[in-house]
Amino acid sequence: MNSETVNLSIPFDFLLQAVARLDSAEKERLWEFLDEDLHGDDEDATSDPQEEAEVAQAYQEYKNGDYLTLNEYVAQRPDRLS
Protein backbone atom coordinates (compact mmCIF):
# COMPACT_ATOMS: atom_id res chain seq x y z
CA MET A 1 0.00 0.00 0.00
CA ASN A 2 1.39 3.35 -1.04
CA SER A 3 0.73 6.23 1.32
CA GLU A 4 1.26 9.65 -0.16
CA THR A 5 0.39 13.03 1.26
CA VAL A 6 -1.63 15.36 -0.91
CA ASN A 7 -1.94 19.02 -0.01
CA LEU A 8 -5.00 20.73 -1.38
CA SER A 9 -5.75 24.39 -1.55
CA ILE A 10 -9.52 24.93 -1.55
CA PRO A 11 -10.87 28.47 -1.98
CA PHE A 12 -12.81 29.50 1.12
CA ASP A 13 -15.98 30.27 -0.90
CA PHE A 14 -15.98 26.69 -2.23
CA LEU A 15 -15.57 25.39 1.29
CA LEU A 16 -18.56 27.47 2.45
CA GLN A 17 -20.65 26.13 -0.43
CA ALA A 18 -19.71 22.56 0.47
CA VAL A 19 -20.62 23.13 4.13
CA ALA A 20 -23.97 24.63 3.11
CA ARG A 21 -24.80 21.35 1.34
CA LEU A 22 -24.24 19.22 4.46
CA ASP A 23 -27.22 17.89 6.36
CA SER A 24 -27.71 18.98 9.97
CA ALA A 25 -26.02 15.88 11.46
CA GLU A 26 -22.93 16.43 9.30
CA LYS A 27 -22.85 20.13 10.24
CA GLU A 28 -23.07 19.17 13.92
CA ARG A 29 -20.14 16.78 13.43
CA LEU A 30 -18.15 19.51 11.69
CA TRP A 31 -19.01 22.00 14.44
CA GLU A 32 -17.79 19.57 17.12
CA PHE A 33 -14.58 18.93 15.17
CA LEU A 34 -13.90 22.65 14.72
CA ASP A 35 -14.70 23.40 18.36
CA GLU A 36 -12.29 20.69 19.51
CA ASP A 37 -9.67 21.80 17.01
CA LEU A 38 -9.93 25.43 18.09
CA HIS A 39 -10.24 24.91 21.83
CA GLY A 40 -9.23 21.35 22.64
CA ASP A 41 -5.49 21.72 23.05
CA ASP A 42 -5.27 25.26 24.34
CA GLU A 43 -7.37 25.00 27.48
CA ASP A 44 -5.27 27.03 29.88
CA ALA A 45 -5.29 26.94 33.65
CA THR A 46 -6.30 30.60 33.88
CA SER A 47 -9.72 30.07 32.30
CA ASP A 48 -12.69 31.11 34.40
CA PRO A 49 -14.72 28.09 35.61
CA GLN A 50 -17.91 30.19 35.84
CA GLU A 51 -17.46 31.38 32.25
CA GLU A 52 -16.84 27.81 31.11
CA ALA A 53 -20.03 26.68 32.88
CA GLU A 54 -22.04 29.46 31.22
CA VAL A 55 -20.68 28.54 27.80
CA ALA A 56 -21.41 24.84 28.39
CA GLN A 57 -24.96 25.75 29.44
CA ALA A 58 -25.42 27.90 26.33
CA TYR A 59 -24.20 25.05 24.09
CA GLN A 60 -26.62 22.65 25.78
CA GLU A 61 -29.54 25.08 25.43
CA TYR A 62 -28.71 25.54 21.75
CA LYS A 63 -28.47 21.78 21.23
CA ASN A 64 -31.88 21.38 22.93
CA GLY A 65 -33.38 24.02 20.63
CA ASP A 66 -33.91 26.45 23.50
CA TYR A 67 -32.86 29.68 21.81
CA LEU A 68 -34.18 32.68 19.90
CA THR A 69 -32.97 33.77 16.51
CA LEU A 70 -31.84 37.37 16.26
CA ASN A 71 -35.00 38.22 14.28
CA GLU A 72 -37.21 36.65 16.97
CA TYR A 73 -35.38 38.56 19.69
CA VAL A 74 -35.70 41.88 17.87
CA ALA A 75 -39.39 41.25 17.13
CA GLN A 76 -40.26 40.65 20.81
CA ARG A 77 -38.05 43.43 22.16
CA PRO A 78 -39.80 46.65 23.15
CA ASP A 79 -38.85 49.64 21.04
CA ARG A 80 -36.26 51.43 23.19
CA LEU A 81 -35.72 54.33 20.83
CA SER A 82 -39.11 55.95 21.40
Side-chain angles (χ1 to χ4, degrees):
M1 181 170 179
N2 188 2
S3 69
E4 295 180 28
T5 301
V6 176
N7 292 319
L8 296 175
S9 178
I10 301 172
F12 193 72
D13 288 340
F14 290 165
L15 181 60
L16 292 178
Q17 291 172 14
V19 169
R21 291 186 189 108
L22 297 174
D23 65 36
S24 59
E26 292 169 323
K27 287 178 183 177
E28 179 74 24
R29 225 174 112 207
L30 177 60
W31 181 14
E32 290 170 359
F33 169 80
L34 292 173
D35 188 52
E36 178 65 29
D37 189 59
L38 288 170
H39 305 290
D41 294 336
D42 64 353
E43 295 291 330
D44 61 61
T46 62
S47 61
D48 181 7
Q50 182 178 356
E51 183 179 336
E52 287 183 20
E54 290 172 2
V55 169
Q57 180 181 357
Y59 272 117
Q60 189 60 47
E61 288 171 357
Y62 178 80
K63 192 173 185 176
N64 293 339
D66 185 20
Y67 62 90
L68 292 176
T69 65
L70 180 58
N71 289 339
E72 292 169 336
Y73 171 75
V74 170
Q76 76 177 16
R77 201 176 123 198
D79 188 15
R80 298 178 192 255
L81 298 175
S82 299

Coordinates of all heavy atoms in Angstrom, one line a residue:
M1 N 0.8 -1.2 0.0 CA 0.0 0.0 0.0 C 0.9 1.2 0.0 O 1.8 1.4 0.8 CB -0.9 0.0 1.2 CG -1.8 1.1 1.3 SD -3.0 0.8 2.6 CE -3.9 2.3 2.5
N2 N 0.6 2.1 -0.9 CA 1.4 3.3 -1.0 C 0.7 4.5 -0.3 O -0.5 4.8 -0.7 CB 1.5 3.6 -2.5 CG 2.5 4.8 -2.8 OD1 3.1 5.3 -1.9 ND2 2.7 5.1 -4.1
S3 N 1.4 5.1 0.6 CA 0.7 6.2 1.3 C 1.4 7.5 0.9 O 2.6 7.7 1.2 CB 0.8 6.0 2.8 OG 2.1 6.1 3.3
E4 N 0.7 8.4 0.3 CA 1.3 9.7 -0.2 C 0.4 10.8 0.5 O -0.8 10.6 0.7 CB 1.2 9.8 -1.7 CG 2.1 8.8 -2.4 CD 2.0 9.0 -3.9 OE1 1.7 10.1 -4.4 OE2 2.1 8.0 -4.6
T5 N 1.1 11.9 0.7 CA 0.4 13.0 1.3 C 0.1 14.0 0.1 O 0.9 14.3 -0.7 CB 1.3 13.8 2.3 OG1 1.6 12.9 3.3 CG2 0.6 15.0 2.8
V6 N -1.2 14.4 0.1 CA -1.6 15.4 -0.9 C -2.1 16.6 -0.2 O -2.9 16.6 0.7 CB -2.8 14.8 -1.7 CG1 -3.3 15.8 -2.7 CG2 -2.4 13.5 -2.4
N7 N -1.5 17.7 -0.6 CA -1.9 19.0 0.0 C -2.9 19.7 -1.0 O -2.5 19.9 -2.2 CB -0.7 19.9 0.3 CG 0.1 19.4 1.4 OD1 -0.4 18.9 2.4 ND2 1.4 19.4 1.2
L8 N -4.0 20.1 -0.5 CA -5.0 20.7 -1.4 C -5.2 22.2 -0.9 O -5.1 22.5 0.3 CB -6.4 20.0 -1.3 CG -6.5 18.6 -1.8 CD1 -7.9 18.1 -1.5 CD2 -6.2 18.6 -3.3
S9 N -5.4 23.0 -1.9 CA -5.8 24.4 -1.5 C -7.2 24.6 -2.1 O -7.4 24.6 -3.3 CB -4.8 25.4 -2.2 OG -5.1 26.7 -1.9
I10 N -8.1 24.8 -1.2 CA -9.5 24.9 -1.5 C -9.9 26.4 -1.2 O -9.8 26.8 -0.1 CB -10.4 24.0 -0.8 CG1 -10.0 22.5 -1.1 CG2 -11.9 24.2 -1.1 CD1 -10.7 21.5 -0.2
P11 N -10.4 27.1 -2.3 CA -10.9 28.5 -2.0 C -12.0 28.5 -0.9 O -12.8 27.6 -0.9 CB -11.4 28.9 -3.3 CG -10.7 28.1 -4.3 CD -10.5 26.8 -3.7
F12 N -11.9 29.4 0.0 CA -12.8 29.5 1.1 C -14.3 29.5 0.7 O -15.1 28.9 1.3 CB -12.5 30.7 2.0 CG -13.2 30.7 3.3 CD1 -12.8 29.8 4.3 CD2 -14.2 31.5 3.6 CE1 -13.4 29.8 5.5 CE2 -14.9 31.5 4.8 CZ -14.4 30.6 5.8
D13 N -14.6 30.2 -0.4 CA -16.0 30.3 -0.9 C -16.5 28.9 -1.3 O -17.6 28.5 -1.0 CB -16.1 31.2 -2.1 CG -16.0 32.7 -1.7 OD1 -16.2 33.0 -0.5 OD2 -15.7 33.5 -2.6
F14 N -15.6 28.1 -1.9 CA -16.0 26.7 -2.2 C -16.2 25.9 -1.0 O -17.1 25.0 -0.9 CB -14.9 26.0 -3.1 CG -14.8 26.6 -4.5 CD1 -13.7 26.3 -5.3 CD2 -15.8 27.3 -5.1 CE1 -13.6 26.7 -6.6 CE2 -15.7 27.8 -6.4 CZ -14.6 27.5 -7.1
L15 N -15.4 26.1 0.0 CA -15.6 25.4 1.3 C -16.9 25.7 1.9 O -17.7 24.9 2.4 CB -14.4 25.7 2.2 CG -14.5 25.1 3.6 CD1 -14.4 23.5 3.5 CD2 -13.3 25.6 4.4
L16 N -17.3 27.0 1.9 CA -18.6 27.5 2.4 C -19.7 26.8 1.7 O -20.7 26.4 2.3 CB -18.7 29.0 2.4 CG -17.7 29.8 3.3 CD1 -17.9 31.3 3.2 CD2 -18.0 29.4 4.8
Q17 N -19.6 26.8 0.4 CA -20.7 26.1 -0.4 C -20.8 24.6 -0.1 O -21.9 24.1 0.0 CB -20.4 26.3 -1.9 CG -20.5 27.7 -2.4 CD -20.0 27.9 -3.8 OE1 -19.8 26.9 -4.6 NE2 -19.8 29.1 -4.2
A18 N -19.7 24.0 0.1 CA -19.7 22.6 0.5 C -20.4 22.4 1.8 O -21.2 21.5 2.0 CB -18.3 22.0 0.5
V19 N -20.0 23.2 2.8 CA -20.6 23.1 4.1 C -22.1 23.4 4.1 O -22.9 22.7 4.7 CB -19.9 24.1 5.1 CG1 -20.7 24.2 6.4 CG2 -18.5 23.7 5.4
A20 N -22.5 24.3 3.2 CA -24.0 24.6 3.1 C -24.8 23.4 2.6 O -26.0 23.3 2.9 CB -24.2 25.8 2.2
R21 N -24.1 22.5 1.9 CA -24.8 21.3 1.3 C -24.9 20.2 2.3 O -25.6 19.2 2.1 CB -24.1 20.9 0.1 CG -24.2 21.8 -1.1 CD -23.6 21.2 -2.4 NE -23.6 22.2 -3.4 CZ -22.5 22.8 -3.9 NH1 -21.3 22.4 -3.4 NH2 -22.6 23.7 -4.8
L22 N -24.2 20.3 3.5 CA -24.2 19.2 4.5 C -25.6 19.2 5.1 O -26.3 20.2 5.3 CB -23.2 19.5 5.5 CG -21.7 19.4 5.1 CD1 -20.8 19.8 6.2 CD2 -21.3 18.1 4.5
D23 N -26.0 18.0 5.6 CA -27.2 17.9 6.4 C -26.9 18.3 7.8 O -25.7 18.5 8.2 CB -27.9 16.5 6.3 CG -27.0 15.4 6.9 OD1 -26.3 15.6 7.9 OD2 -27.1 14.3 6.4
S24 N -27.9 18.4 8.6 CA -27.7 19.0 10.0 C -26.8 18.1 10.8 O -26.0 18.6 11.6 CB -29.0 19.2 10.7 OG -29.8 18.0 10.8
A25 N -26.9 16.8 10.7 CA -26.0 15.9 11.5 C -24.6 16.1 11.1 O -23.7 16.1 11.9 CB -26.4 14.4 11.3
E26 N -24.3 16.2 9.8 CA -22.9 16.4 9.3 C -22.4 17.8 9.8 O -21.2 17.9 10.1 CB -22.9 16.3 7.8 CG -23.1 14.9 7.3 CD -23.3 14.9 5.8 OE1 -24.0 15.8 5.2 OE2 -22.9 13.9 5.2
K27 N -23.3 18.8 9.8 CA -22.9 20.1 10.2 C -22.5 20.1 11.7 O -21.6 20.7 12.2 CB -23.9 21.2 10.0 CG -24.0 21.5 8.5 CD -25.2 22.5 8.2 CE -25.3 22.8 6.8 NZ -26.4 23.7 6.5
E28 N -23.3 19.3 12.5 CA -23.1 19.2 13.9 C -21.7 18.5 14.1 O -20.9 18.9 15.0 CB -24.2 18.3 14.6 CG -24.0 18.1 16.0 CD -24.3 19.3 16.9 OE1 -25.0 20.2 16.5 OE2 -23.7 19.3 18.0
R29 N -21.4 17.5 13.3 CA -20.1 16.8 13.4 C -19.0 17.7 13.1 O -18.0 17.7 13.8 CB -20.1 15.6 12.4 CG -19.6 14.3 13.0 CD -19.7 13.2 12.0 NE -18.4 12.8 11.6 CZ -18.1 12.3 10.5 NH1 -19.0 12.0 9.6 NH2 -16.9 12.0 10.2
L30 N -19.2 18.5 12.1 CA -18.2 19.5 11.7 C -18.0 20.5 12.8 O -16.8 20.9 13.1 CB -18.5 20.2 10.4 CG -17.6 21.3 9.9 CD1 -16.2 20.7 9.6 CD2 -18.2 21.9 8.6
W31 N -19.1 21.0 13.4 CA -19.0 22.0 14.4 C -18.2 21.4 15.6 O -17.3 22.1 16.2 CB -20.4 22.4 14.9 CG -20.5 23.4 16.0 CD1 -19.5 24.2 16.4 CD2 -21.7 23.7 16.7 NE1 -20.0 25.0 17.4 CE2 -21.3 24.7 17.6 CE3 -23.0 23.3 16.7 CZ2 -22.2 25.3 18.5 CZ3 -23.9 23.8 17.6 CH2 -23.5 24.8 18.5
E32 N -18.5 20.2 16.0 CA -17.8 19.6 17.1 C -16.3 19.4 16.8 O -15.5 19.7 17.7 CB -18.4 18.2 17.5 CG -19.8 18.3 18.1 CD -20.5 17.0 18.2 OE1 -20.0 16.0 17.8 OE2 -21.7 17.0 18.7
F33 N -16.0 19.0 15.6 CA -14.6 18.9 15.2 C -13.9 20.3 15.3 O -12.8 20.4 15.8 CB -14.5 18.4 13.7 CG -13.1 18.5 13.2 CD1 -12.1 17.6 13.5 CD2 -12.7 19.5 12.3 CE1 -10.8 17.7 13.1 CE2 -11.4 19.7 11.9 CZ -10.5 18.7 12.2
L34 N -14.5 21.3 14.7 CA -13.9 22.6 14.7 C -13.8 23.2 16.1 O -12.7 23.8 16.5 CB -14.7 23.6 13.9 CG -14.7 23.4 12.4 CD1 -15.6 24.3 11.7 CD2 -13.3 23.5 11.8
D35 N -14.8 23.0 17.0 CA -14.7 23.4 18.4 C -13.5 22.7 19.1 O -12.8 23.4 19.8 CB -16.0 23.1 19.1 CG -16.1 23.7 20.4 OD1 -15.8 24.9 20.6 OD2 -16.4 23.0 21.4
E36 N -13.4 21.4 18.9 CA -12.3 20.7 19.5 C -11.0 21.2 19.0 O -10.0 21.3 19.7 CB -12.5 19.2 19.3 CG -11.3 18.4 19.9 CD -11.2 18.4 21.4 OE1 -12.3 18.6 22.1 OE2 -10.1 18.3 21.9
D37 N -10.9 21.4 17.6 CA -9.7 21.8 17.0 C -9.3 23.2 17.5 O -8.1 23.4 17.7 CB -9.8 21.8 15.5 CG -8.5 22.0 14.8 OD1 -7.6 21.2 15.0 OD2 -8.4 23.0 14.0
L38 N -10.2 24.1 17.7 CA -9.9 25.4 18.1 C -9.6 25.5 19.6 O -8.8 26.3 20.0 CB -11.1 26.4 17.8 CG -11.3 26.7 16.3 CD1 -12.7 27.4 16.1 CD2 -10.2 27.5 15.8
H39 N -10.3 24.7 20.4 CA -10.2 24.9 21.8 C -9.7 23.7 22.6 O -9.5 23.8 23.8 CB -11.6 25.3 22.4 CG -12.2 26.5 21.7 ND1 -11.7 27.7 21.9 CD2 -13.2 26.6 20.8 CE1 -12.4 28.6 21.1 NE2 -13.3 27.9 20.5
G40 N -9.6 22.6 21.9 CA -9.2 21.3 22.6 C -7.9 21.3 23.3 O -7.7 20.9 24.4
D41 N -6.9 21.8 22.6 CA -5.5 21.7 23.1 C -5.0 22.9 23.8 O -4.0 22.9 24.5 CB -4.5 21.5 21.9 CG -4.8 20.2 21.2 OD1 -5.3 19.2 21.9 OD2 -4.4 20.0 20.0
D42 N -5.8 24.0 23.7 CA -5.3 25.3 24.3 C -6.1 25.7 25.6 O -6.1 26.8 25.9 CB -5.2 26.4 23.3 CG -6.6 26.8 22.8 OD1 -7.6 26.1 23.1 OD2 -6.7 27.8 22.1
E43 N -6.7 24.7 26.2 CA -7.4 25.0 27.5 C -6.3 25.4 28.5 O -5.5 24.6 28.9 CB -8.2 23.8 28.0 CG -9.3 23.4 27.1 CD -10.4 24.3 27.1 OE1 -10.7 25.0 28.1 OE2 -11.1 24.4 26.0
D44 N -6.3 26.6 28.9 CA -5.3 27.0 29.9 C -5.8 27.0 31.3 O -7.0 27.1 31.5 CB -4.7 28.4 29.5 CG -5.7 29.5 29.5 OD1 -6.3 29.8 30.5 OD2 -5.8 30.1 28.4
A45 N -4.9 27.0 32.2 CA -5.3 26.9 33.7 C -5.9 28.2 34.2 O -6.5 28.3 35.2 CB -4.1 26.6 34.5
T46 N -5.8 29.3 33.4 CA -6.3 30.6 33.9 C -7.7 30.8 33.4 O -8.3 31.9 33.7 CB -5.4 31.8 33.4 OG1 -5.5 31.8 31.9 CG2 -4.0 31.6 33.9
S47 N -8.3 29.9 32.8 CA -9.7 30.1 32.3 C -10.7 30.1 33.5 O -10.4 29.5 34.5 CB -10.1 29.0 31.3 OG -10.1 27.7 31.9
D48 N -11.7 30.9 33.3 CA -12.7 31.1 34.4 C -13.7 30.0 34.4 O -14.4 29.8 33.5 CB -13.4 32.5 34.1 CG -14.4 32.8 35.2 OD1 -14.5 32.1 36.2 OD2 -15.1 33.8 35.0
P49 N -13.8 29.2 35.5 CA -14.7 28.1 35.6 C -16.2 28.5 35.4 O -17.0 27.8 34.8 CB -14.5 27.5 37.0 CG -13.1 28.0 37.4 CD -12.9 29.3 36.7
Q50 N -16.5 29.7 36.0 CA -17.9 30.2 35.8 C -18.2 30.5 34.4 O -19.3 30.1 33.9 CB -18.1 31.4 36.7 CG -19.6 32.0 36.6 CD -19.8 33.2 37.5 OE1 -18.9 33.6 38.2 NE2 -21.0 33.7 37.4
E51 N -17.3 31.1 33.7 CA -17.5 31.4 32.3 C -17.6 30.1 31.5 O -18.5 30.0 30.6 CB -16.3 32.2 31.7 CG -16.4 32.6 30.3 CD -15.3 33.4 29.8 OE1 -14.6 34.1 30.6 OE2 -15.1 33.4 28.6
E52 N -16.8 29.1 31.8 CA -16.8 27.8 31.1 C -18.2 27.2 31.3 O -18.8 26.6 30.4 CB -15.7 26.9 31.6 CG -14.4 27.3 31.0 CD -13.3 26.3 31.5 OE1 -13.6 25.2 31.8 OE2 -12.1 26.7 31.4
A53 N -18.7 27.3 32.6 CA -20.0 26.7 32.9 C -21.1 27.4 32.1 O -22.1 26.7 31.6 CB -20.3 26.8 34.4
E54 N -21.0 28.7 32.0 CA -22.0 29.5 31.2 C -22.0 29.1 29.7 O -23.1 28.9 29.1 CB -21.8 31.0 31.4 CG -22.1 31.5 32.8 CD -21.7 32.9 33.0 OE1 -21.2 33.6 32.1 OE2 -21.9 33.4 34.1
V55 N -20.8 28.9 29.2 CA -20.7 28.5 27.8 C -21.2 27.1 27.6 O -22.0 26.9 26.6 CB -19.2 28.7 27.3 CG1 -19.0 28.0 26.0 CG2 -18.8 30.1 27.3
A56 N -20.9 26.2 28.5 CA -21.4 24.8 28.4 C -22.9 24.8 28.5 O -23.6 24.1 27.7 CB -20.8 24.0 29.5
Q57 N -23.5 25.7 29.3 CA -25.0 25.8 29.4 C -25.6 26.3 28.2 O -26.6 25.8 27.7 CB -25.4 26.6 30.6 CG -26.9 26.8 30.8 CD -27.3 27.7 31.9 OE1 -26.4 28.2 32.7 NE2 -28.5 27.9 32.1
A58 N -24.9 27.3 27.6 CA -25.4 27.9 26.3 C -25.4 26.9 25.2 O -26.3 26.8 24.4 CB -24.6 29.1 26.0
Y59 N -24.3 26.1 25.1 CA -24.2 25.0 24.1 C -25.3 24.0 24.3 O -25.9 23.6 23.3 CB -22.8 24.3 24.2 CG -21.8 24.9 23.3 CD1 -20.6 25.5 23.9 CD2 -21.8 25.0 22.0 CE1 -19.6 26.0 23.2 CE2 -20.8 25.6 21.2 CZ -19.7 26.1 21.8 OH -18.7 26.6 21.1
Q60 N -25.6 23.6 25.5 CA -26.6 22.6 25.8 C -28.0 23.2 25.4 O -28.8 22.5 24.8 CB -26.6 22.2 27.2 CG -27.5 21.0 27.5 CD -27.1 19.8 26.7 OE1 -26.0 19.4 26.6 NE2 -28.1 19.2 26.1
E61 N -28.3 24.5 25.8 CA -29.5 25.1 25.4 C -29.7 25.1 23.9 O -30.8 24.9 23.4 CB -29.6 26.5 26.1 CG -29.8 26.4 27.6 CD -29.7 27.8 28.2 OE1 -29.4 28.8 27.5 OE2 -29.9 27.9 29.4
Y62 N -28.6 25.5 23.2 CA -28.7 25.5 21.7 C -29.0 24.2 21.2 O -29.8 24.0 20.3 CB -27.4 26.1 21.2 CG -27.4 26.1 19.7 CD1 -28.1 27.1 19.0 CD2 -26.8 25.1 18.9 CE1 -28.1 27.1 17.6 CE2 -26.8 25.1 17.6 CZ -27.4 26.1 16.9 OH -27.5 26.1 15.5
K63 N -28.3 23.2 21.7 CA -28.5 21.8 21.2 C -29.9 21.3 21.5 O -30.5 20.6 20.7 CB -27.5 20.9 21.9 CG -27.4 19.5 21.3 CD -26.2 18.7 22.0 CE -26.0 17.4 21.3 NZ -24.9 16.7 21.9
N64 N -30.5 21.8 22.6 CA -31.9 21.4 22.9 C -32.9 22.2 22.2 O -34.1 22.0 22.3 CB -32.1 21.5 24.4 CG -31.3 20.6 25.3 OD1 -30.9 19.5 24.8 ND2 -31.1 20.9 26.5
G65 N -32.5 23.2 21.4 CA -33.4 24.0 20.6 C -34.0 25.2 21.4 O -34.9 25.8 21.0
D66 N -33.4 25.4 22.6 CA -33.9 26.4 23.5 C -33.2 27.8 23.2 O -32.2 28.1 24.0 CB -33.7 26.0 24.9 CG -34.4 27.0 25.9 OD1 -35.2 27.8 25.5 OD2 -34.0 26.9 27.1
Y67 N -33.5 28.4 22.2 CA -32.9 29.7 21.8 C -33.8 30.5 20.9 O -34.8 30.0 20.4 CB -31.5 29.4 21.1 CG -31.7 28.7 19.8 CD1 -31.9 29.4 18.6 CD2 -31.7 27.3 19.7 CE1 -32.1 28.8 17.4 CE2 -31.9 26.7 18.5 CZ -32.1 27.4 17.3 OH -32.2 26.7 16.2
L68 N -33.5 31.8 20.8 CA -34.2 32.7 19.9 C -33.2 33.1 18.8 O -32.1 33.3 19.0 CB -34.6 34.0 20.6 CG -35.7 33.9 21.7 CD1 -35.8 35.2 22.4 CD2 -37.0 33.4 21.1
T69 N -33.8 33.2 17.6 CA -33.0 33.8 16.5 C -32.9 35.3 16.8 O -33.7 35.8 17.5 CB -33.6 33.5 15.1 OG1 -34.8 34.2 15.0 CG2 -33.8 32.0 14.9
L70 N -32.0 35.9 16.1 CA -31.8 37.4 16.3 C -33.1 38.1 15.8 O -33.6 39.0 16.5 CB -30.7 37.9 15.4 CG -30.4 39.4 15.5 CD1 -30.2 39.8 17.0 CD2 -29.2 39.8 14.7
N71 N -33.7 37.6 14.7 CA -35.0 38.2 14.3 C -36.1 38.0 15.3 O -36.9 39.0 15.5 CB -35.4 37.6 12.9 CG -34.5 38.1 11.8 OD1 -33.8 39.1 11.9 ND2 -34.5 37.3 10.7
E72 N -36.2 36.9 15.9 CA -37.2 36.6 17.0 C -37.0 37.6 18.2 O -37.9 38.1 18.7 CB -37.2 35.2 17.4 CG -37.7 34.2 16.4 CD -37.4 32.8 16.8 OE1 -36.5 32.5 17.6 OE2 -38.1 31.9 16.2
Y73 N -35.7 37.7 18.6 CA -35.4 38.6 19.7 C -35.8 40.0 19.4 O -36.4 40.7 20.2 CB -33.9 38.4 20.0 CG -33.4 39.4 21.0 CD1 -33.7 39.3 22.4 CD2 -32.7 40.6 20.6 CE1 -33.3 40.2 23.3 CE2 -32.3 41.5 21.6 CZ -32.6 41.3 22.9 OH -32.1 42.2 23.9
V74 N -35.4 40.5 18.2 CA -35.7 41.9 17.9 C -37.2 42.1 17.8 O -37.7 43.1 18.2 CB -35.0 42.2 16.5 CG1 -35.5 43.6 16.0 CG2 -33.5 42.3 16.7
A75 N -37.9 41.1 17.3 CA -39.4 41.3 17.1 C -40.1 41.3 18.5 O -41.1 42.0 18.6 CB -39.9 40.1 16.3
Q76 N -39.6 40.7 19.5 CA -40.3 40.7 20.8 C -39.7 41.8 21.7 O -40.3 42.0 22.8 CB -40.1 39.3 21.5 CG -38.8 39.0 22.1 CD -38.7 37.7 22.8 OE1 -39.6 36.9 22.6 NE2 -37.7 37.5 23.6
R77 N -38.7 42.4 21.3 CA -38.0 43.4 22.2 C -38.8 44.7 22.1 O -39.2 45.2 21.0 CB -36.6 43.7 21.6 CG -35.7 44.3 22.6 CD -34.4 44.4 22.0 NE -34.0 45.8 22.0 CZ -33.1 46.3 21.3 NH1 -32.4 45.7 20.5 NH2 -32.8 47.6 21.5
P78 N -39.1 45.4 23.2 CA -39.8 46.7 23.1 C -38.9 47.7 22.4 O -37.7 47.7 22.5 CB -40.0 47.0 24.6 CG -39.2 46.1 25.4 CD -38.8 45.0 24.5
D79 N -39.6 48.6 21.8 CA -38.8 49.6 21.0 C -38.3 50.6 22.0 O -39.0 51.3 22.7 CB -39.8 50.4 20.1 CG -39.0 51.3 19.2 OD1 -37.8 51.2 19.1 OD2 -39.7 52.2 18.5
R80 N -36.9 50.6 22.2 CA -36.3 51.4 23.2 C -35.9 52.8 22.7 O -35.4 53.6 23.4 CB -35.0 50.7 23.7 CG -35.4 49.4 24.4 CD -34.1 48.7 24.9 NE -34.5 47.4 25.3 CZ -34.5 47.0 26.6 NH1 -34.3 47.8 27.5 NH2 -34.8 45.7 26.8
L81 N -36.1 53.0 21.4 CA -35.7 54.3 20.8 C -36.8 55.4 20.9 O -36.6 56.5 20.7 CB -35.3 54.2 19.4 CG -34.1 53.3 19.1 CD1 -33.9 53.1 17.6 CD2 -32.9 53.8 19.8
S82 N -38.0 55.0 21.3 CA -39.1 55.9 21.4 C -39.1 56.7 22.7 O -38.6 56.3 23.7 CB -40.4 55.2 21.3 OG -40.5 54.6 20.1

